[in-house]
Amino acid sequence: MPRHDVLVIGAGLAGQRAALAAAETGVSVGIVSKVHPVRSHSNAAQGGINAALQEGDSWESHAFDTIKGSDYLGDQDAISIMCREAPEEILHLEHLGVPFHRNEEGKLGTRAFGGASQARTYYVADITGQAIMHVLYEQLMKHSDSVSRYEEYFTTSLALDDSGSCVGAVMRNIRDGSMELFEAKNVILATGGNGQVWQPTTNALICTGDGIAQAYRVGAPLMDMEMIQYHPTTLAGKGFLITEGARGEGAHLLNAEGERFMEKYAPNKMELASRDVVSRAEQTEHCARSCSSAATSPVSTSPASRSTSSPVTTTRWVGSRPTSTVRPRSQASTPPVRQRACPFMAATASAQTRCSTR
Ligand SMILES: Cc1cc2nc3c(=O)[nH]c(=O)nc-3n(C[C@H](O)[C@H](O)[C@H](O)COP(=O)(O)OP(=O)(O)OC[C@H]3O[C@@H](n4cnc5c(N)ncnc54)[C@H](O)[C@@H]3O)c2cc1C
Protein backbone atom coordinates (compact mmCIF):
# COMPACT_ATOMS: atom_id res chain seq x y z
CA MET A 1 0.00 0.00 0.00
CA PRO A 2 1.52 3.41 -0.98
CA ARG A 3 2.12 5.57 2.13
CA HIS A 4 3.06 9.24 2.18
CA ASP A 5 3.39 12.08 4.63
CA VAL A 6 1.40 14.26 2.23
CA LEU A 7 -0.98 12.99 -0.43
CA VAL A 8 -2.01 15.65 -2.94
CA ILE A 9 -5.06 14.67 -4.98
CA GLY A 10 -5.03 16.73 -8.17
CA ALA A 11 -2.07 17.90 -10.25
CA GLY A 12 -3.26 21.15 -11.80
CA LEU A 13 -1.58 24.40 -10.77
CA ALA A 14 -2.94 24.18 -7.21
CA GLY A 15 -1.93 20.56 -6.65
CA GLN A 16 1.52 20.82 -8.24
CA ARG A 17 2.32 24.00 -6.33
CA ALA A 18 1.22 22.37 -3.05
CA ALA A 19 3.25 19.23 -3.80
CA LEU A 20 6.34 21.31 -4.55
CA ALA A 21 5.98 23.28 -1.31
CA ALA A 22 5.61 20.04 0.66
CA ALA A 23 8.57 18.44 -1.11
CA GLU A 24 10.77 21.42 -0.27
CA THR A 25 10.29 20.65 3.42
CA GLY A 26 11.77 17.18 2.89
CA VAL A 27 8.67 15.04 3.55
CA SER A 28 7.43 12.18 1.37
CA VAL A 29 4.80 13.33 -1.13
CA GLY A 30 2.40 11.50 -3.43
CA ILE A 31 0.61 13.45 -6.15
CA VAL A 32 -2.32 11.89 -7.98
CA SER A 33 -4.07 12.90 -11.18
CA LYS A 34 -6.74 11.26 -13.27
CA VAL A 35 -5.08 12.69 -16.39
CA HIS A 36 -1.42 13.32 -17.14
CA PRO A 37 -0.62 16.31 -14.88
CA VAL A 38 0.23 18.73 -17.66
CA ARG A 39 -3.14 17.98 -19.28
CA SER A 40 -4.97 19.29 -16.22
CA HIS A 41 -7.51 22.00 -16.84
CA SER A 42 -5.13 24.72 -15.60
CA ASN A 43 -3.80 24.51 -19.17
CA ALA A 44 -6.80 26.59 -20.20
CA ALA A 45 -5.76 29.68 -18.22
CA GLN A 46 -4.68 32.11 -20.89
CA GLY A 47 -4.86 35.68 -19.69
CA GLY A 48 -2.54 35.86 -16.67
CA ILE A 49 -2.32 36.33 -12.91
CA ASN A 50 -2.95 39.46 -10.90
CA ALA A 51 -0.41 40.70 -8.37
CA ALA A 52 0.31 44.13 -6.92
CA LEU A 53 3.98 44.22 -7.84
CA GLN A 54 4.32 47.58 -9.53
CA GLU A 55 5.31 50.83 -7.91
CA GLY A 56 2.23 52.70 -6.76
CA ASP A 57 0.15 49.52 -6.47
CA SER A 58 -0.68 47.83 -3.16
CA TRP A 59 -2.02 44.46 -2.05
CA GLU A 60 -4.84 46.34 -0.30
CA SER A 61 -5.97 47.82 -3.62
CA HIS A 62 -5.78 44.36 -5.24
CA ALA A 63 -7.76 42.91 -2.33
CA PHE A 64 -10.41 45.62 -2.54
CA ASP A 65 -10.87 45.09 -6.29
CA THR A 66 -11.19 41.35 -5.70
CA ILE A 67 -13.73 41.75 -2.91
CA LYS A 68 -15.75 44.25 -4.94
CA GLY A 69 -15.55 41.98 -7.97
CA SER A 70 -17.11 39.23 -5.85
CA ASP A 71 -20.06 41.50 -4.94
CA TYR A 72 -18.66 41.44 -1.37
CA LEU A 73 -19.45 37.72 -1.13
CA GLY A 74 -15.84 36.44 -1.34
CA ASP A 75 -13.98 35.12 1.70
CA GLN A 76 -12.13 38.28 2.74
CA ASP A 77 -9.52 36.47 4.86
CA ALA A 78 -8.60 34.20 1.94
CA ILE A 79 -8.56 37.15 -0.47
CA SER A 80 -6.24 39.10 1.84
CA ILE A 81 -3.77 36.22 2.02
CA MET A 82 -3.87 35.70 -1.73
CA CYS A 83 -3.28 39.37 -2.52
CA ARG A 84 -0.54 39.79 0.09
CA GLU A 85 1.37 36.74 -1.15
CA ALA A 86 0.79 37.17 -4.90
CA PRO A 87 3.77 39.47 -5.67
CA GLU A 88 6.27 37.15 -4.00
CA GLU A 89 4.71 34.15 -5.71
CA ILE A 90 5.00 35.73 -9.17
CA LEU A 91 8.69 36.42 -8.54
CA HIS A 92 9.18 32.90 -7.21
CA LEU A 93 7.58 31.40 -10.32
CA GLU A 94 9.70 33.65 -12.50
CA HIS A 95 12.84 32.49 -10.72
CA LEU A 96 11.78 28.87 -11.22
CA GLY A 97 11.72 29.55 -14.96
CA VAL A 98 8.27 30.80 -15.99
CA PRO A 99 8.94 33.11 -18.97
CA PHE A 100 6.61 35.97 -18.00
CA HIS A 101 6.21 38.74 -20.57
CA ARG A 102 8.68 41.62 -20.24
CA ASN A 103 8.24 45.19 -21.38
CA GLU A 104 10.62 47.28 -23.50
CA GLU A 105 12.68 48.08 -20.43
CA GLY A 106 13.15 44.38 -19.74
CA LYS A 107 10.98 44.49 -16.62
CA LEU A 108 8.05 42.16 -15.98
CA GLY A 109 5.24 43.59 -18.09
CA THR A 110 1.56 43.76 -17.26
CA ARG A 111 -1.75 43.96 -19.05
CA ALA A 112 -5.06 45.29 -17.77
CA PHE A 113 -7.68 42.81 -16.63
CA GLY A 114 -11.36 43.28 -15.87
CA GLY A 115 -12.29 44.68 -12.48
CA ALA A 116 -8.74 45.83 -11.67
CA SER A 117 -8.04 49.45 -10.77
CA GLN A 118 -4.58 49.16 -12.35
CA ALA A 119 -2.84 47.01 -14.96
CA ARG A 120 -1.45 44.26 -12.70
CA THR A 121 -1.83 41.07 -14.73
CA TYR A 122 1.39 39.12 -15.35
CA TYR A 123 1.23 36.74 -18.27
CA VAL A 124 2.99 34.47 -20.75
CA ALA A 125 1.52 35.29 -24.20
CA ASP A 126 -1.87 33.51 -24.12
CA ILE A 127 -0.54 30.33 -22.48
CA THR A 128 0.03 31.49 -18.90
CA GLY A 129 -1.44 28.39 -17.24
CA GLN A 130 0.31 25.99 -19.57
CA ALA A 131 3.67 27.71 -19.11
CA ILE A 132 3.46 27.62 -15.31
CA MET A 133 2.28 24.03 -15.30
CA HIS A 134 5.25 22.80 -17.33
CA VAL A 135 7.69 24.65 -15.08
CA LEU A 136 6.10 23.21 -11.93
CA TYR A 137 6.14 19.72 -13.43
CA GLU A 138 9.86 20.04 -14.18
CA GLN A 139 10.44 21.17 -10.60
CA LEU A 140 8.55 18.16 -9.24
CA MET A 141 10.69 15.86 -11.38
CA LYS A 142 13.75 17.34 -9.69
CA HIS A 143 12.33 16.03 -6.39
CA SER A 144 11.69 12.55 -7.74
CA ASP A 145 13.43 11.00 -4.72
CA SER A 146 10.69 12.28 -2.40
CA VAL A 147 7.75 12.90 -4.77
CA SER A 148 5.89 9.94 -6.27
CA ARG A 149 3.66 10.81 -9.20
CA TYR A 150 0.56 8.68 -9.73
CA GLU A 151 -0.47 9.70 -13.22
CA GLU A 152 -3.81 8.48 -14.57
CA TYR A 153 -5.03 7.33 -11.18
CA PHE A 154 -8.65 8.12 -10.38
CA THR A 155 -9.58 8.84 -6.75
CA THR A 156 -12.94 7.26 -6.05
CA SER A 157 -13.36 8.11 -2.34
CA LEU A 158 -11.62 9.50 0.70
CA ALA A 159 -10.70 7.21 3.60
CA LEU A 160 -11.48 8.26 7.19
CA ASP A 161 -10.26 6.74 10.43
CA ASP A 162 -12.54 6.03 13.40
CA SER A 163 -12.21 9.61 14.65
CA GLY A 164 -13.32 11.02 11.29
CA SER A 165 -9.90 12.28 10.17
CA CYS A 166 -8.97 11.83 6.54
CA VAL A 167 -6.09 9.33 6.38
CA GLY A 168 -5.94 8.46 2.70
CA ALA A 169 -7.97 7.71 -0.38
CA VAL A 170 -9.06 4.88 -2.62
CA MET A 171 -7.59 4.99 -6.14
CA ARG A 172 -8.32 3.25 -9.39
CA ASN A 173 -5.34 2.78 -11.69
CA ILE A 174 -6.95 3.74 -14.97
CA ARG A 175 -4.45 1.78 -17.05
CA ASP A 176 -5.19 -1.65 -15.58
CA GLY A 177 -8.39 -1.06 -13.59
CA SER A 178 -6.90 -2.16 -10.25
CA MET A 179 -8.05 -0.51 -7.01
CA GLU A 180 -5.72 0.45 -4.19
CA LEU A 181 -5.87 2.22 -0.83
CA PHE A 182 -3.32 5.03 -0.38
CA GLU A 183 -2.44 5.98 3.17
CA ALA A 184 -1.34 9.48 4.19
CA LYS A 185 -0.78 11.59 7.28
CA ASN A 186 -2.14 14.60 5.42
CA VAL A 187 -4.43 14.77 2.40
CA ILE A 188 -4.70 17.88 0.21
CA LEU A 189 -7.64 18.00 -2.17
CA ALA A 190 -6.83 20.03 -5.30
CA THR A 191 -9.22 18.45 -7.77
CA GLY A 192 -10.42 21.64 -9.43
CA GLY A 193 -13.91 22.86 -10.19
CA ASN A 194 -17.24 21.48 -11.32
CA GLY A 195 -17.77 23.61 -14.45
CA GLN A 196 -19.33 20.73 -16.34
CA VAL A 197 -22.44 21.13 -14.20
CA TRP A 198 -23.15 24.26 -16.24
CA GLN A 199 -23.85 24.79 -19.89
CA PRO A 200 -22.33 26.39 -21.85
CA THR A 201 -18.99 26.29 -20.03
CA THR A 202 -15.37 27.14 -20.77
CA ASN A 203 -14.33 24.28 -18.47
CA ALA A 204 -12.85 21.06 -19.84
CA LEU A 205 -14.77 17.78 -19.87
CA ILE A 206 -12.66 16.59 -16.90
CA CYS A 207 -13.98 19.39 -14.62
CA THR A 208 -16.61 17.23 -12.96
CA GLY A 209 -16.21 18.29 -9.34
CA ASP A 210 -15.03 14.86 -8.17
CA GLY A 211 -13.17 16.13 -5.10
CA ILE A 212 -16.04 18.38 -4.07
CA ALA A 213 -18.42 15.41 -4.18
CA GLN A 214 -15.99 13.12 -2.37
CA ALA A 215 -15.47 15.61 0.44
CA TYR A 216 -19.23 16.14 0.70
CA ARG A 217 -19.85 12.41 0.91
CA VAL A 218 -17.61 12.13 3.98
CA GLY A 219 -19.30 15.05 5.71
CA ALA A 220 -17.46 18.22 4.63
CA PRO A 221 -19.80 21.18 4.42
CA LEU A 222 -19.86 22.97 1.04
CA MET A 223 -20.67 26.63 0.59
CA ASP A 224 -21.65 29.02 -2.22
CA MET A 225 -22.20 26.20 -4.70
CA GLU A 226 -24.44 28.44 -6.79
CA MET A 227 -21.67 31.04 -7.27
CA ILE A 228 -20.35 30.56 -10.78
CA GLN A 229 -18.57 33.11 -12.91
CA TYR A 230 -19.56 33.44 -16.56
CA HIS A 231 -16.74 34.58 -18.78
CA PRO A 232 -18.02 37.33 -21.09
CA THR A 233 -16.36 36.15 -24.33
CA THR A 234 -16.37 32.67 -25.83
CA LEU A 235 -17.02 31.09 -29.20
CA ALA A 236 -20.79 30.77 -29.56
CA GLY A 237 -22.21 27.52 -28.26
CA LYS A 238 -18.79 25.84 -27.85
CA GLY A 239 -17.35 27.35 -24.69
CA PHE A 240 -13.95 28.05 -26.25
CA LEU A 241 -12.60 31.04 -24.42
CA ILE A 242 -11.68 34.29 -26.14
CA THR A 243 -9.19 35.49 -23.58
CA GLU A 244 -9.86 38.48 -21.38
CA GLY A 245 -6.47 39.61 -22.69
CA ALA A 246 -8.34 40.66 -25.87
CA ARG A 247 -10.31 43.25 -23.89
CA GLY A 248 -7.21 44.04 -21.83
CA GLU A 249 -5.40 44.91 -25.04
CA GLY A 250 -8.23 47.22 -26.16
CA ALA A 251 -10.96 45.19 -27.92
CA HIS A 252 -14.45 46.73 -27.85
CA LEU A 253 -17.73 44.88 -27.44
CA LEU A 254 -20.48 45.99 -29.80
CA ASN A 255 -24.10 44.94 -29.82
CA ALA A 256 -26.02 44.03 -32.93
CA GLU A 257 -26.73 47.73 -33.54
CA GLY A 258 -23.00 48.44 -33.62
CA GLU A 259 -23.18 50.28 -30.27
CA ARG A 260 -20.42 49.99 -27.68
CA PHE A 261 -23.02 48.97 -25.13
CA MET A 262 -20.75 48.91 -22.03
CA GLU A 263 -21.11 52.73 -22.02
CA LYS A 264 -24.57 52.15 -20.52
CA TYR A 265 -23.50 49.68 -17.83
CA ALA A 266 -20.01 50.68 -16.71
CA PRO A 267 -19.12 54.05 -18.25
CA ASN A 268 -15.78 54.26 -16.43
CA LYS A 269 -14.42 50.77 -16.81
CA MET A 270 -16.27 49.89 -20.03
CA GLU A 271 -15.15 46.44 -21.31
CA LEU A 272 -12.79 46.14 -18.32
CA ALA A 273 -15.55 46.12 -15.73
CA SER A 274 -15.50 42.92 -13.68
CA ARG A 275 -16.59 39.81 -15.55
CA ASP A 276 -19.98 39.42 -13.95
CA VAL A 277 -20.84 43.04 -14.81
CA VAL A 278 -19.85 42.53 -18.47
CA SER A 279 -21.62 39.16 -18.74
CA ARG A 280 -24.77 40.61 -17.19
CA ALA A 281 -24.66 43.57 -19.58
CA GLU A 282 -24.41 41.19 -22.54
CA GLN A 283 -27.34 39.19 -21.20
CA THR A 284 -29.38 42.36 -20.79
CA GLU A 285 -28.55 43.38 -24.36
CA HIS A 286 -29.59 39.98 -25.67
CA CYS A 287 -32.81 40.09 -23.70
CA ALA A 288 -33.71 43.66 -24.61
CA ARG A 289 -33.23 42.94 -28.30
CA SER A 290 -34.94 39.56 -28.26
CA CYS A 291 -37.95 40.73 -26.29
CA SER A 292 -38.53 43.87 -28.32
CA SER A 293 -38.10 41.99 -31.60
CA ALA A 294 -40.36 39.18 -30.43
CA ALA A 295 -43.09 41.73 -29.77
CA THR A 296 -43.06 42.94 -33.36
CA SER A 297 -41.81 40.06 -35.45
CA PRO A 298 -41.01 36.43 -34.74
CA VAL A 299 -37.99 36.49 -37.05
CA SER A 300 -35.57 39.32 -37.73
CA THR A 301 -32.13 39.77 -39.24
CA SER A 302 -29.05 41.38 -37.77
CA PRO A 303 -28.83 45.02 -38.79
CA ALA A 304 -26.28 45.86 -41.44
CA SER A 305 -25.12 49.07 -39.72
CA ARG A 306 -21.59 48.43 -38.54
CA SER A 307 -18.76 50.80 -37.70
CA THR A 308 -15.02 50.54 -38.39
CA SER A 309 -12.56 48.01 -36.99
CA SER A 310 -13.88 46.76 -33.65
CA PRO A 311 -15.08 43.21 -33.11
CA VAL A 312 -18.76 42.41 -33.39
CA THR A 313 -20.90 40.56 -30.85
CA THR A 314 -23.64 38.56 -32.50
CA THR A 315 -26.38 36.73 -30.66
CA ARG A 316 -27.77 33.35 -31.41
CA TRP A 317 -30.28 31.32 -29.41
CA VAL A 318 -29.21 27.76 -28.82
CA GLY A 319 -32.12 25.97 -27.16
CA SER A 320 -33.34 28.45 -24.59
CA ARG A 321 -29.94 30.10 -24.07
CA PRO A 322 -28.37 33.05 -25.82
CA THR A 323 -24.72 32.77 -26.83
CA SER A 324 -22.48 35.46 -28.23
CA THR A 325 -19.56 35.57 -30.61
CA VAL A 326 -16.95 38.29 -30.98
CA ARG A 327 -15.45 38.48 -34.46
CA PRO A 328 -13.11 40.92 -36.16
CA ARG A 329 -15.17 43.41 -38.17
CA SER A 330 -13.67 42.29 -41.48
CA GLN A 331 -15.18 38.83 -41.00
CA ALA A 332 -18.52 40.07 -39.76
CA SER A 333 -21.41 38.93 -41.91
CA THR A 334 -25.10 39.40 -41.27
CA PRO A 335 -26.71 35.98 -41.01
CA PRO A 336 -30.40 35.83 -40.15
CA VAL A 337 -30.91 35.58 -36.38
CA ARG A 338 -33.99 33.85 -35.10
CA GLN A 339 -35.47 35.79 -32.20
CA ARG A 340 -37.61 34.37 -29.44
CA ALA A 341 -39.45 35.68 -26.43
CA CYS A 342 -36.90 35.95 -23.65
CA PRO A 343 -37.37 33.77 -20.56
CA PHE A 344 -34.60 35.56 -18.63
CA MET A 345 -35.92 39.09 -18.85
CA ALA A 346 -37.26 39.44 -15.31
CA ALA A 347 -34.21 37.90 -13.66
CA THR A 348 -31.79 39.93 -15.71
CA ALA A 349 -33.59 43.16 -15.04
CA SER A 350 -33.31 42.66 -11.31
CA ALA A 351 -29.67 41.66 -11.55
CA GLN A 352 -29.01 44.79 -13.54
CA THR A 353 -30.70 46.97 -10.94
CA ARG A 354 -28.36 45.54 -8.33
CA CYS A 355 -25.40 46.18 -10.57
CA SER A 356 -26.21 49.78 -11.32
CA THR A 357 -26.54 50.68 -7.66
CA ARG A 358 -22.90 49.74 -6.95
C1 LIG B 1 -11.07 29.05 -19.96
C2 LIG B 1 -10.48 29.45 -18.65
C3 LIG B 1 -9.53 30.45 -18.59
C4 LIG B 1 -8.98 30.84 -17.38
N1 LIG B 1 -8.06 31.85 -17.36
C5 LIG B 1 -7.50 32.20 -16.20
C6 LIG B 1 -6.52 33.23 -16.15
O1 LIG B 1 -6.16 33.82 -17.15
N2 LIG B 1 -5.98 33.53 -14.95
C7 LIG B 1 -6.35 32.89 -13.79
O2 LIG B 1 -5.81 33.20 -12.73
N3 LIG B 1 -7.29 31.90 -13.81
C8 LIG B 1 -7.86 31.56 -14.98
N4 LIG B 1 -8.81 30.57 -14.99
C9 LIG B 1 -9.11 29.86 -13.77
C10 LIG B 1 -7.97 28.85 -13.48
O3 LIG B 1 -7.62 28.19 -14.68
C11 LIG B 1 -8.40 27.80 -12.47
O4 LIG B 1 -8.92 28.44 -11.33
C12 LIG B 1 -7.21 26.95 -12.06
O5 LIG B 1 -6.49 26.49 -13.18
C13 LIG B 1 -7.68 25.79 -11.24
O6 LIG B 1 -6.55 25.02 -10.93
P1 LIG B 1 -6.70 23.72 -10.07
O7 LIG B 1 -5.34 23.16 -9.90
O8 LIG B 1 -7.50 24.01 -8.85
O9 LIG B 1 -7.61 22.73 -10.95
P2 LIG B 1 -7.34 21.92 -12.30
O10 LIG B 1 -6.29 22.53 -13.15
O11 LIG B 1 -8.68 21.66 -12.89
O12 LIG B 1 -6.72 20.56 -11.78
C14 LIG B 1 -7.51 19.58 -11.18
C15 LIG B 1 -6.65 18.34 -11.01
O13 LIG B 1 -7.37 17.39 -10.26
C16 LIG B 1 -7.30 16.12 -10.91
N5 LIG B 1 -8.49 15.37 -10.54
C17 LIG B 1 -9.78 15.78 -10.58
N6 LIG B 1 -10.60 14.81 -10.18
C18 LIG B 1 -9.81 13.75 -9.86
C19 LIG B 1 -10.06 12.42 -9.38
N7 LIG B 1 -11.28 11.96 -9.15
N8 LIG B 1 -9.00 11.59 -9.21
C20 LIG B 1 -7.73 12.02 -9.44
N9 LIG B 1 -7.44 13.25 -9.90
C21 LIG B 1 -8.46 14.11 -10.09
C22 LIG B 1 -7.20 16.45 -12.38
O14 LIG B 1 -6.65 15.38 -13.11
C23 LIG B 1 -6.27 17.66 -12.32
O15 LIG B 1 -4.93 17.23 -12.28
C24 LIG B 1 -9.39 30.19 -16.20
C25 LIG B 1 -10.33 29.18 -16.25
C26 LIG B 1 -10.88 28.82 -17.46
C27 LIG B 1 -11.94 27.76 -17.48
Side-chain angles (χ1 to χ4, degrees):
M1 178 196 316
R3 284 198 178 88
H4 293 285
D5 294 320
V6 178
L7 180 66
V8 183
I9 305 177
L13 287 178
Q16 289 197 40
R17 185 66 187 88
L20 184 59
E24 282 165 353
T25 67
V27 299
S28 130
V29 180
I31 180 163
V32 181
S33 174
K34 65 182 177 181
V35 296
H36 188 280
V38 298
R39 302 194 70 185
S40 299
H41 180 63
S42 293
N43 254 329
Q46 300 178 359
I49 312 173
N50 281 356
L53 245 180
Q54 306 209 81
E55 230 171 273
D57 201 357
S58 68
W59 75 262
E60 289 91 345
S61 163
H62 182 191
F64 175 71
D65 291 345
T66 309
I67 291 164
K68 181 164 177 266
S70 75
D71 273 336
Y72 296 85
L73 296 172
D75 178 332
Q76 298 194 6
D77 295 332
I79 290 171
S80 299
I81 293 170
M82 179 185 77
C83 297
R84 240 191 328 241
E85 295 187 358
E88 202 182 316
E89 186 62 23
I90 293 284
L91 294 178
H92 182 59
L93 289 172
E94 207 263 346
H95 294 167
L96 289 179
V98 178
F100 282 111
H101 172 79
R102 287 177 178 271
N103 62 22
E104 286 89 31
E105 295 167 28
K107 295 185 175 162
L108 290 181
T110 56
R111 62 165 47 129
F113 242 32
S117 51
Q118 331 208 357
R120 60 165 77 99
T121 306
Y122 294 87
Y123 63 100
V124 184
D126 61 352
I127 54 163
T128 309
Q130 191 184 357
I132 300 173
M133 202 132 70
H134 281 263
V135 167
L136 288 177
Y137 191 65
E138 285 163 14
Q139 294 296 319
L140 284 181
M141 286 167 79
K142 276 192 183 162
H143 289 273
S144 52
D145 50 335
S146 58
V147 178
S148 305
R149 300 189 312 275
Y150 301 95
E151 297 168 359
E152 300 184 349
Y153 276 70
F154 193 103
T155 307
T156 59
S157 54
L158 300 174
L160 304 191
D161 66 10
D162 291 341
S163 69
S165 299
C166 185
V167 288
V170 179
M171 309 286 174
R172 178 187 290 278
N173 181 337
I174 295 173
R175 290 180 205 181
D176 62 15
S178 61
M179 304 285 287
E180 216 170 345
L181 176 66
F182 283 40
E183 206 182 296
K185 293 181 190 155
N186 300 279
V187 177
I188 298 177
L189 264 184
T191 49
N194 64 344
Q196 281 295 321
V197 168
W198 309 86
Q199 209 208 2
T201 177
T202 54
N203 280 213
L205 291 173
I206 54 172
C207 297
T208 43
D210 306 9
I212 298 170
Q214 286 158 14
Y216 181 68
R217 273 191 229 119
V218 295
L222 305 179
M223 66 185 282
D224 296 339
M225 293 301 290
E226 75 284 18
M227 295 297 169
I228 185 88
Q229 182 183 68
Y230 265 85
H231 203 290
T233 48
T234 69
L235 294 186
K238 298 281 183 243
F240 289 118
L241 180 73
I242 297 173
T243 173
E244 181 145 352
R247 279 172 292 128
E249 302 289 338
H252 295 173
L253 293 171
L254 305 183
N255 66 13
E257 311 293 335
E259 296 158 350
R260 200 173 162 197
F261 58 89
M262 284 310 297
E263 279 167 3
K264 283 188 270 176
Y265 304 95
N268 295 326
K269 301 295 289 182
M270 302 288 277
E271 285 81 4
L272 290 178
S274 56
R275 287 180 187 168
D276 61 317
V277 172
V278 180
S279 297
R280 202 155 48 217
E282 288 174 344
Q283 179 77 61
T284 307
E285 290 290 311
H286 293 319
C287 291
R289 184 168 146 73
S290 304
C291 293
S292 64
S293 305
T296 52
S297 157
V299 177
S300 69
T301 53
S302 299
S305 66
R306 301 257 149 92
S307 66
T308 56
S309 63
S310 302
V312 175
T313 304
T314 52
T315 308
R316 208 137 52 87
W317 288 87
V318 178
S320 60
R321 293 169 185 275
T323 55
S324 55
T325 322
V326 181
R327 287 174 294 161
R329 173 153 313 285
S330 56
Q331 293 166 22
S333 60
T334 55
V337 178
R338 178 168 286 277
Q339 306 289 347
R340 298 208 188 134
C342 173
F344 300 117
M345 191 58 174
T348 310
S350 74
Q352 186 53 37
T353 308
R354 201 155 47 83
C355 158
S356 60
T357 56
R358 279 188 302 164

